[in-house]
Amino acid sequence: MLRKIRIAAAAVFFVLVTLLFLDFTGAIHHWFGWMARIQLLPAVLALNLAVVAGLVLLTLLFGRVYCSVICPLGVFQDIVSWFNGRRKGKKNRFTYKKEIKWLRYGLLALFIVLMVAGLNAAALLIAPYSAWGRIATALLAPVYGWCNNLLAAVSIHFGSYAFYPTEVYLKSLPVLIVAAVTVVVLVVLAWRGGRTWCNTVCPVGTTLGLLSRFSMFRPVIDTDKCKDCKMCEKRCKSSCIDIAARKVDYSRCVACFDCIDNCKFGAMHYRFAYGRGQRNSAGDVSTSEHFSASAAKHQSGMERRQFITGLTLFAGAATVEAKKKQIAEGVAALEGREIPPRKLAPVPAGAISHKNFYSHCTACQLCVSKCPNDVLKPSTRIETLMQPEMSFEKGFCRIQCNTCTEVCPTGAINLVDSISDKSAIQIGHAVVTHTNCVVEKDGVSCGNCARHCPVGAITMVPMEGNPKLQVPAVNPEQCIGCGACEYHCPARPVSAIYVEGHEVHKER
């Protein structure tokens, strides 16, 4: 029963957390955005002490339930391992293995050092929530978008507008490559060794493993009932059960309850651990006392049907409460546009500064996937690789939009309270490249940048040598760096006006 409950809960979390990155309507995040905020690393970076304390307490009580239910990367490994276990002769493929302490704790130490040193881009390559965010946005989101567009085409053909098409494009080649490599590594490790990644590479898993050694409830072996069949050891995807020594390595146990469900003799129990056995130096518990309990009946195929049913039910939620994207009038064609040569890319209002933003950002791509104006994209710079930055080839940052601040689970982008507050924050300033301006190049009137500036920071002044034509002039003290001017500039391939980011945000 415990295993079935765990599988059902894991299916719910896995599907909904994944849909947070895929759903472009905003409906899923409105109801289940909290699932991103209870991921451990985002909660730590956001200094969300309530969530961190809750996860610590959960682990001290019940073991690494977080890894088997809440973490999407952990559930993904279980799915891969489950498929391998369905093959003939592969059900009982695991055996006890000693933990590789030097690698496990060495990677945790390296992760902490990199984060403290501000080298988040390197450290976050192995962070579980960030890794799954990249996989979802780079690999799953395009498939999700194509399926949506196919449904939209069919529904529109029959006169229904329950679905509407959305643009599918490659947002970042580095993110795609990193996500693909991560998937390959995860699949290979999970296919061969179950939870090898969680118990060797993952810094969150190692951290929770230190706590789970002292968990109050845990799987224990009843030595009086154990018949040395090693079925629990052969089914343990964490390879942490040593039947010969009658012990469980609780630092690696992810509380999946597979051992309990597969023991035919009722020798495995999940119970309160203290006061009924002796703790060894490794933090494991051996017991010679047995407890009366009915052996769980094995029901072949039940878990598979439950998972598929849950996946089908929750995938349908992606189409609920769809809303249409606003498109500004007078938008110029975007073909052939190139990124301007800015020295510093701007980051969203609420980030406070580049240092604060990049030290808190986990590069999970949630804000990138949710930005309704396609302003945020992953950085290609080595020092901030895959962390978001702003660019205005496909849209501009609208003053009334707070989506990125609402979805960010780490506090990298603090919520801006109102439109008036956001319009007072200067994230950058516009710079005019007169040699690119169509007024000077082609001798025609324009003024597109001035017309679309929401704060009136751009005025048109007579052009030197030809006062009949007017060119833009920017007041940097008034400009907020929203990118409306850059986006609406008709000059190609590089806009004649572009936004240069500020290292520290200011109020005008």
Side-chain angles (χ1 to χ4, degrees):
M1 179 60 69
L2 287 175
R3 182 170 179 262
K4 295 174 183 176
I5 294 173
R6 192 267 305 172
I7 290 174
V12 171
F13 270 89
F14 179 75
V15 172
L16 291 178
V17 170
T18 302
L19 285 176
L20 290 179
F21 295 93
L22 305 185
D23 176 48
F24 49 82
T25 68
I28 299 298
H29 200 280
H30 176 73
W31 293 102
F32 301 105
W34 57 270
M35 288 187 173
R37 299 182 187 276
I38 65 170
Q39 302 295 319
L40 183 57
L41 184 58
V44 171
L45 292 176
L47 296 179
N48 194 333
L49 300 181
V51 171
V52 174
L55 293 177
V56 169
L57 181 61
L58 178 69
T59 306
L60 289 175
L61 284 175
F62 304 110
R64 286 172 58 183
V65 176
Y66 173 92
C67 297
S68 60
V69 175
I70 299 175
C71 177
L73 202 69
V75 179
F76 174 72
Q77 292 171 77
D78 285 349
I79 295 172
V80 173
S81 181
W82 179 83
F83 274 109
N84 188 21
R86 301 300 295 176
R87 297 192 301 156
K88 186 177 180 180
K90 293 295 182 178
K91 276 189 176 182
N92 307 321
R93 65 190 185 281
F94 300 114
T95 185
Y96 174 74
K97 297 177 183 177
K98 291 184 178 180
E99 66 172 328
I100 310 175
K101 288 186 177 181
W102 68 268
L103 180 59
R104 192 180 183 191
Y105 296 106
L107 285 174
L108 175 60
L110 178 62
F111 177 84
I112 294 173
V113 169
L114 290 173
M115 292 292 288
V116 171
L119 302 175
N120 295 33
L124 295 173
L125 291 173
I126 59 174
Y129 170 72
S130 303
W132 185 249
R134 291 189 290 269
I135 292 169
T137 53
L139 302 178
L140 302 182
V143 177
Y144 184 87
W146 290 326
C147 291
N148 170 81
N149 290 348
L150 177 61
L151 290 173
V154 172
S155 64
I156 291 173
H157 177 75
F158 289 100
S160 172
Y161 292 90
F163 299 89
Y164 63 91
T166 182
E167 184 179 9
V168 179
Y169 65 97
L170 177 62
K171 293 186 177 181
S172 172
L173 181 60
V175 171
L176 177 64
I177 294 173
V178 171
V181 171
T182 304
V183 166
V184 171
V185 173
L186 282 169
V187 169
V188 170
L189 292 179
W191 189 267
R192 298 181 61 183
R195 286 295 189 111
T196 302
W197 174 283
C198 290
N199 289 326
T200 306
V201 179
C202 179
V204 173
T206 302
T207 301
L208 294 178
L210 293 172
L211 298 173
S212 64
R213 292 175 182 268
F214 310 101
S215 59
M216 292 186 178
F217 292 88
R218 62 184 71 173
V220 294
I221 304 169
D222 185 340
T223 56
D224 292 340
K225 290 186 177 182
C226 181
K227 306 300 182 182
D228 286 317
C229 69
K230 292 191 174 182
M231 186 59 67
C232 56
E233 182 177 318
K234 293 175 182 178
R235 293 290 182 92
C236 178
K237 53 180 169 277
S238 294
S239 300
C240 65
I241 300 177
D242 185 0
I243 285 298
R246 295 293 195 274
K247 69 176 184 178
V248 179
D249 181 356
Y250 295 110
S251 72
R252 290 185 290 158
C253 175
V254 295
C256 67
F257 309 122
D258 286 357
C259 56
I260 298 173
D261 196 65
N262 287 287
C263 180
K264 298 179 181 180
F265 305 102
M268 292 295 301
H269 302 277
Y270 183 72
R271 61 149 175 98
F272 184 75
Y274 289 92
R276 293 182 177 270
Q278 295 180 347
R279 179 178 300 279
N280 59 27
S281 59
D284 306 318
V285 169
S286 301
T287 179
S288 58
E289 297 181 36
H290 68 274
F291 306 89
S292 58
S294 59
K297 295 182 179 180
H298 180 66
Q299 299 182 10
S300 177
M302 178 65 72
E303 293 78 18
R304 174 172 57 87
R305 291 194 296 271
Q306 284 182 328
F307 177 77
I308 294 175
T309 302
L311 185 64
T312 303
L313 289 174
F314 286 99
T319 60
V320 176
E321 212 173 318
K323 58 181 180 181
K324 290 206 171 186
K325 230 174 144 181
Q326 295 179 349
I327 301 177
E329 295 182 359
V331 176
L334 301 181
E335 290 78 12
R337 172 170 286 184
E338 297 178 4
I339 300 175
R342 39 179 141 250
K343 297 178 182 178
L344 188 65
V347 294
I352 302 175
S353 67
H354 275 67
K355 182 179 180 180
N356 178 76
F357 178 71
Y358 289 119
S359 64
H360 286 81
C361 175
T362 63
C364 71
Q365 311 301 310
L366 186 56
C367 61
V368 175
S369 65
K370 291 300 177 187
C371 180
N373 305 304
D374 290 323
V375 170
L376 292 173
K377 70 172 190 175
S379 170
T380 56
R381 294 178 296 160
I382 296 299
E383 61 274 19
T384 58
L385 187 65
M386 299 184 296
Q387 293 178 295
E389 62 184 21
M390 300 176 76
S391 197
F392 308 105
E393 290 76 49
K394 290 183 174 291
F396 64 95
C397 187
R398 300 176 187 270
I399 292 177
Q400 67 271 25
C401 178
N402 265 333
T403 301
C404 59
T405 67
E406 292 171 351
V407 304
C408 180
T410 68
I413 314 173
N414 297 295
L415 185 64
V416 180
D417 294 330
S418 64
I419 292 176
S420 59
D421 289 339
K422 185 176 179 180
S423 64
I425 299 175
Q426 293 181 301
I427 63 174
H429 64 277
V431 177
V432 180
T433 305
H434 289 283
T435 54
N436 291 347
C437 184
V438 295
V439 177
E440 299 197 25
K441 284 174 59 179
D442 303 326
V444 297
S445 298
C446 182
N448 230 21
C449 53
R451 281 194 297 272
H452 288 93
C453 180
V455 293
I458 303 174
T459 56
M460 303 302 292
V461 298
M463 185 177 74
E464 187 177 349
N466 189 355
K468 293 182 179 180
L469 297 176
Q470 292 184 317
V471 293
V474 178
N475 179 358
E477 299 301 322
Q478 190 73 7
C479 179
I480 60 173
C482 67
C485 55
E486 180 179 330
Y487 174 62
H488 289 100
C489 178
R492 295 294 185 274
V494 180
S495 299
I497 186 168
Y498 66 92
V499 176
E500 193 67 61
H502 289 169
E503 184 73 37
V504 179
H505 293 176
K506 301 182 293 184
E507 290 190 9
R508 66 188 182 99

